[in-house]
C-alpha cells in the first residue's frame, strides 16, 4: 500500500486487499464524508460515511430478541418505544444472523467465509430498520450515543444463532485448543456439545469471520443458555476467555484490550402448583440456569477488562418468571 495526500494505492494479490486507516482518525458525525474506490474498470463510491466506534452484540435468542418484541411491552411514551426512535441519531446497524442465509457451505467444517453470505449493508437506525434488530444491541447503541452526547457515532453488528452453544461460536484455532468439538468422519464435520448442539465452529466461520479485519471497540455477549448442563458449564468461563483473547488479537490491532460486556442470565422458577395454562403461556418453560449463571459470573477472573451486567435481580414481573427471554433488555 502506498499513499499520498489524495488517497491510497493498493496492490491486489489473489483477489484480496485491505485498507488501513490511521489510528488517530477523529470521530465525526458529519454526513458529507465520502470514499471512492476505483480501478481502471470499476468505481464504487460510499457516501455519508461516519467515523466512530463499532461494537458487536453476539449471542443466542436473547440477542435475536428484537425491538419489535420489546415494543409489545412498552408504550410509545416509554424509553425505547417505537415513536421515541430518533432516526437522526448517529447510529448504524448491521444484521448478520443464522436465520438469514441458505445454501451456505457445509456447517461444522474448517471452511471460512471471507465475505458476508447475506450481502446485507449498514443501515440507518430508523424505526423500520431496527424493528427486527437486536433489542439489547440497539438500546446499547442508543445509550452509548447519549453518553457521548452524540459526538461519537456508533455502529452495532448483530450476530445471533438461536439455541447455539459456545462451541458453535469458536473459530478453528480456538476450537482445536479448547477441544470444544470432535470430528465425525461419517458426517464429515465437527460436532460440538450442548443443548441443540450439532455442528461446531460455523457461527464463527460463517458469520463472524468476515469481520475479522474490522476494528471493533467492544463486544456485548449474551450467550450460554445452551451450555447450562454441567459438562459444558464447567469449562465455559475458560473457553469463553480463550475466544475473547483470540478475537482481541484479530478484530482490533490498535486496541487489543477492548472491553467485553457479558449479560447475566435471569432467574427461573419451578412451576407453581396453581399454574393454569393460557393461550399466551401454554406451558411453564423454566430452565435451571443457576450453574451457568454462576460460571458466567466468574469470567472476569479469567479475562481482563471484562464486565458483568448483573441482571438477575431485575426480573420482578411475574409474566417473565418462566422464560429465558425477559423484556428488560
Amino acid at each position: 500500500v502506498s499513499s499520498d495526500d489524495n488517497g491510497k494505492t493498493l496492490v491486489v494479490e489473489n483477489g484480496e486487499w485491505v485498507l488501513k486507516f490511521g489510528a488517530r482518525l477523529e470521530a465525526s458525525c458529519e454526513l458529507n464524508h465520502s470514499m471512492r474506490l476505483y480501478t481502471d474498470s470499476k468505481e464504487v463510491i460510499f457516501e455519508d460515511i461516519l467515523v466512530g466506534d463499532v461494537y458487536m452484540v453476539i449471542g443466542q435468542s436473547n440477542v435475536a430478541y428484537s425491538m419489535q418484541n420489546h415494543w409489545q411491552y412498552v408504550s410509545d411514551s416509554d424509553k425505547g418505544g417505537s415513536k421515541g426512535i430518533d432516526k437522526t441519531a448517529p447510529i448504524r446497524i448491521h444484521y448478520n444472523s443464522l436465520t438469514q442465509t441458505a445454501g451456505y457451505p457445509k456447517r461444522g467444517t474448517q471452511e471460512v467465509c471471507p465475505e458476508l453470505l447475506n450481502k446485507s449493508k449498514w443501515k440507518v437506525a430508523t424505526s423500520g430498520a431496527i424493528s427486527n434488530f437486536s433489542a439489547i444491541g440497539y438500546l446499547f447503541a442508543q445509550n452509548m450515543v447519549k453518553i457521548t452526547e452524540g459526538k461519537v457515532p456508533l455502529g452495532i453488528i448483530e450476530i445471533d444463532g438461536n439455541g447455539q452453544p459456545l462451541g458453535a461460536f469458536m473459530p478453528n484455532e480456538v476450537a482445536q485448543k479448547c477441544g470444544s468439538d470432535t470430528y465425525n468422519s461419517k458426517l464429515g464435520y465437527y460436532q460440538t456439545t450442548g443443548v441443540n448442539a450439532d455442528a461446531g465452529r460455523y457461527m464463527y466461520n460463517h458469520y463472524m469471520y468476515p469481520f475479522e479485519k474490522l476494528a471493533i471497540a467492544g463486544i456485548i455477549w449474551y450467550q450460554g443458555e445452551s451450555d447450562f448442563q454441567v459438562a459444558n458449564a464447567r469449562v465455559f468461563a475458560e473457553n469463553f476467555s480463550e475466544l475473547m483473547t483470540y478475537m482481541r488479537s484479530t478484530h482490533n490491532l490498535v486496541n487489543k484490550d477492548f472491553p467485553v460486556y457479558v449479560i447475566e442470565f435471569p432467574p427461573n422458577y419451578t412451576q407453581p402448583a396453581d399454574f393454569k395454562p393460557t393461550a399466551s403461556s401454554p406451558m411453564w418453560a423454566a430452565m435451571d440456569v443457576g450453574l451457568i449463571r454462576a460460571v458466567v459470573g466468574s469470567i472476569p477472573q479469567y479475562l481482563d477488562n471484562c464486565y458483568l451486567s448483573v441482571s438477575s435481580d431485575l426480573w420482578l414481573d411475574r409474566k417473565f418468571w418462566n422464560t429465558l427471554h425477559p423484556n428488560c433488555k
Side-chain angles (χ1 to χ4, degrees):
V1 178
S2 61
S3 64
D4 55 32
D5 291 340
N6 296 316
K8 294 178 178 289
T9 302
L10 298 97
V11 176
V12 179
E13 295 183 0
N14 299 320
E16 297 183 0
W17 53 272
V18 176
L19 182 61
K20 298 180 181 179
F21 294 92
R24 297 187 179 277
L25 201 62
E26 293 186 4
S28 174
C29 295
E30 295 179 359
L31 295 177
N32 59 353
H33 296 290
S34 64
M35 180 169 66
R36 175 180 175 235
L37 303 177
Y38 64 96
T39 68
D40 56 359
S41 62
K42 189 174 182 178
E43 177 184 74
V44 178
I45 299 177
F46 296 92
E47 303 285 3
D48 290 334
I49 295 175
L50 304 182
V51 181
D53 291 334
V54 176
Y55 286 81
M56 282 184 170
V57 56
I58 307 173
Q60 298 182 213
S61 49
N62 268 306
V63 167
Y65 188 102
S66 68
M67 286 297 290
Q68 188 67 52
N69 287 333
H70 177 69
W71 288 331
Q72 295 180 37
Y73 299 101
V74 296
S75 66
D76 284 330
S77 61
D78 289 333
K79 181 180 179 182
S82 58
K83 291 184 179 179
I85 302 303
D86 180 7
K87 65 180 181 181
T88 66
I91 298 173
R92 299 294 182 266
I93 63 173
H94 200 297
Y95 186 40
N96 199 29
S97 167
L98 172 65
T99 63
Q100 285 187 299
T101 53
Y104 36 63
K106 190 172 183 178
R107 301 194 303 183
T109 67
Q110 295 189 40
E111 183 176 3
V112 297
C113 299
E115 296 185 10
L116 293 173
L117 294 169
N118 59 29
K119 307 300 182 185
S120 63
K121 300 178 180 179
W122 288 96
K123 295 181 179 179
V124 175
T126 62
S127 295
I130 68 172
S131 62
N132 290 321
F133 194 75
S134 169
I136 200 166
Y138 174 75
L139 293 173
F140 171 86
Q142 188 183 62
N143 282 321
M144 288 296 287
V145 166
K146 181 178 180 180
I147 289 171
T148 61
E149 298 178 339
K151 297 177 182 177
V152 180
L154 194 136
I156 188 83
I157 300 169
E158 173 184 352
I159 296 177
D160 67 74
N162 286 349
Q164 298 305 310
L166 184 61
F169 293 87
M170 292 290 205
N172 296 319
E173 181 179 321
V174 181
Q176 188 72 29
K177 181 177 182 179
C178 295
S180 59
D181 53 30
T182 56
Y183 187 75
N184 187 316
S185 57
K186 184 177 295 186
L187 295 175
Y189 60 83
Y190 290 90
Q191 287 186 291
T192 190
T193 59
V195 179
N196 301 320
D198 181 27
R201 312 185 183 201
Y202 75 91
M203 284 302 302
Y204 192 95
N205 288 350
H206 291 196
Y207 303 101
M208 296 160 70
Y209 180 86
F211 296 103
E212 271 205 348
K213 298 295 192 297
L214 179 65
I216 59 175
I219 288 176
I220 304 99
W221 187 273
Y222 199 161
Q223 185 278 334
E225 299 94 326
S226 288
D227 296 273
F228 84 98
Q229 294 162 318
V230 175
N232 280 52
R234 63 190 293 269
V235 296
F236 187 90
E238 293 180 68
N239 288 356
F240 176 78
S241 299
E242 290 287 352
L243 171 59
M244 291 298 105
T245 299
Y246 175 85
M247 292 187 70
R248 282 173 171 169
S249 73
T250 56
H251 284 73
N252 195 331
L253 301 183
V254 177
N255 177 20
K256 294 186 178 182
D257 189 36
F258 58 72
V260 176
Y261 305 103
V262 182
I263 313 301
E264 187 180 48
F265 301 129
N268 279 239
Y269 300 92
T270 55
Q271 180 175 320
D274 60 350
F275 172 71
K276 295 180 179 179
T278 63
S280 60
S281 184
M283 61 180 292
W284 196 268
M287 286 174 58
D288 184 1
V289 294
L291 175 59
I292 189 64
R293 186 193 306 121
V295 169
V296 166
S298 72
I299 290 175
Q301 299 177 37
Y302 295 86
L303 186 68
D304 291 337
N305 204 21
C306 177
Y307 307 92
L308 184 68
S309 179
V310 179
S311 56
S312 63
D313 58 344
L314 299 179
W315 273 251
L316 300 179
D317 191 330
R318 292 195 177 204
K319 67 174 171 286
F320 294 118
W321 278 21
N322 67 329
T323 180
L324 278 177
H325 307 115
N327 182 63
C328 47
K329 300 300 186 190

